[in-house]
């Protein structure tokens, strides 16, 4: 399924440059070592 703006996703959901910079700085501070990444499930994937 393709993502269609204002139908199955909104470009405003994407992080802004400031959020990317913050994320990179946080990852740099821990050597890019993470225990897990939590990503919300998408309804159209049939999860639930």
């Amino acid at each position: 399924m393709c993502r269609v703006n204002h139908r199955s996703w909104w470009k405003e959901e994407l992080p802004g440059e400031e959020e990317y910079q913050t994320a990179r700085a946080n990852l740099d501070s821990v050597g890019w070592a993470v225990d897990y990444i939590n990503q919300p499930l998408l309804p159209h994937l049939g999860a639930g």
Side-chain angles (χ1 to χ4, degrees):
M1 173 180 213
C2 293
R3 291 171 32 148
V4 178
N5 196 19
H6 297 287
R7 224 169 147 198
S8 57
W9 77 287
W10 285 255
K11 71 178 185 174
E12 294 83 7
E13 295 177 37
L14 299 174
E17 187 56 37
E18 184 177 342
E19 291 172 297
Y20 278 119
Q21 289 175 359
T22 299
R24 288 183 192 109
N26 288 332
L27 288 166
D28 283 341
S29 74
V30 296
W32 286 69
V34 296
D35 293 327
Y36 62 89
I37 297 173
N38 184 16
Q39 179 178 344
L41 295 175
L42 303 174
H44 71 272
L45 295 180

